[in-house]
Amino acid sequence: MPYLELAGFGSVALIWSFDLHFDFLSVLVERWRPKTHTFHFPCRECTVILEDVALQLGLPIDESPVTGVSSFIDPAVLCYQLLGGSPGDGESYFFGIKTWLKAKIGQLLATATEGELMCAARAYIMHIVGGVLMPDANGDNVHLMYLPLLADLSTASSYRWGSAVLAALYRELCRATNPDVVDMGRCLILLQSWALYRLPFLASVSHQPYVYPLLNR
């Protein structure tokens, strides 16, 4: 946890489980307008903003944008340096390593060194990115391009991870409005929690003490 908090992922790491109501999310998609990036309801027009990402997930929304290279000459070397291991040979395999990351986290011993703990923290963050924050429609892939941003965990929190999550969600909502699309990815738990919090007339939510991030309600 100290390394996750140092990297800016301490709050989102507390989100252990959640249930997605896809019928509810489908209604939201039907109300999405790609031209304005807003939901159109009979009562008003609204959308998810950066403040919502910060409140719901606890991710940083200031400082540097999440950007970098998306292809690597030797991805195996990168994985060995930052994760302490490599899932296999061949560049194409490195674009879907979520299952391998989960196994990597489970292999951590109580006697792990500081270097091994940092590698495990990076693997856990990558798993969060691919499983909660920016999963694809299949939910089993995570792109290796995020890993170099985690090389120095002390500077990882200087990136606008919240902005990247929101931008990815906007793009996925626009894609999902296509009648031919049957699956949807990205941070749907953010969308669902935002709707229940900002639009209480859509569904009743029991009163609970304030907890942070709000998604843990």
Side-chain angles (χ1 to χ4, degrees):
M1 280 303 298
Y3 292 109
L4 295 176
E5 292 171 355
L6 179 65
F9 289 84
S11 295
V12 74
L14 298 176
I15 302 171
W16 296 108
S17 62
F18 49 82
D19 295 319
L20 291 174
H21 302 279
F22 292 102
D23 52 347
F24 179 49
L25 294 172
S26 297
V27 172
L28 292 176
V29 172
E30 292 174 358
R31 294 289 181 174
W32 181 257
R33 299 296 181 267
K35 289 185 178 181
T36 59
H37 288 168
T38 57
F39 296 99
H40 285 218
F41 295 102
C43 59
R44 60 178 143 169
E45 183 179 344
C46 55
T47 192
V48 187
I49 61 176
L50 286 176
E51 177 186 359
D52 296 308
V53 180
L55 291 174
Q56 296 286 349
L57 300 175
L59 286 174
I61 57 175
D62 299 318
E63 305 299 336
S64 304
V66 176
T67 183
V69 297
S70 57
S71 61
F72 309 93
I73 298 177
D74 196 340
V77 173
L78 180 65
C79 284
Y80 273 111
Q81 289 177 345
L82 301 181
L83 299 177
S86 175
D89 298 325
E91 183 176 353
S92 60
Y93 189 80
F94 288 84
F95 295 101
I97 57 176
K98 182 181 171 185
T99 303
W100 181 83
L101 288 170
K102 188 174 182 179
K104 178 71 176 176
I105 300 167
Q107 296 171 0
L108 188 64
L109 302 176
T111 57
T113 64
E114 182 179 5
E116 291 172 335
L117 288 173
M118 295 180 71
C119 288
R122 294 188 190 98
Y124 195 79
I125 293 172
M126 289 289 287
H127 193 270
I128 291 176
V129 170
V132 179
L133 300 180
M134 290 181 280
D136 61 8
N138 296 322
D140 59 356
N141 294 322
V142 55
H143 204 291
L144 194 64
M145 63 184 176
Y146 303 109
L147 184 56
L149 303 179
L150 305 174
D152 187 350
L153 294 177
S154 63
T155 62
S157 60
S158 66
Y159 292 103
R160 295 196 293 254
W161 294 101
S163 300
V165 170
L166 184 59
L169 179 61
Y170 274 19
R171 171 179 281 189
E172 189 70 0
L173 282 168
C174 293
R175 189 185 71 87
T177 58
N178 188 325
D180 296 331
V181 175
V182 296
D183 294 319
M184 185 176 175
R186 306 311 173 188
C187 197
L188 299 183
I189 185 60
L190 166 64
L191 177 60
Q192 178 174 289
S193 185
W194 165 83
L196 295 176
Y197 178 69
R198 295 293 192 184
L199 310 172
F201 58 85
L202 293 178
S204 60
V205 180
S206 60
H207 296 286
Q208 297 180 14
Y210 179 87
V211 292
Y212 184 80
L214 290 180
L215 196 148
N216 278 330
R217 294 173 309 140

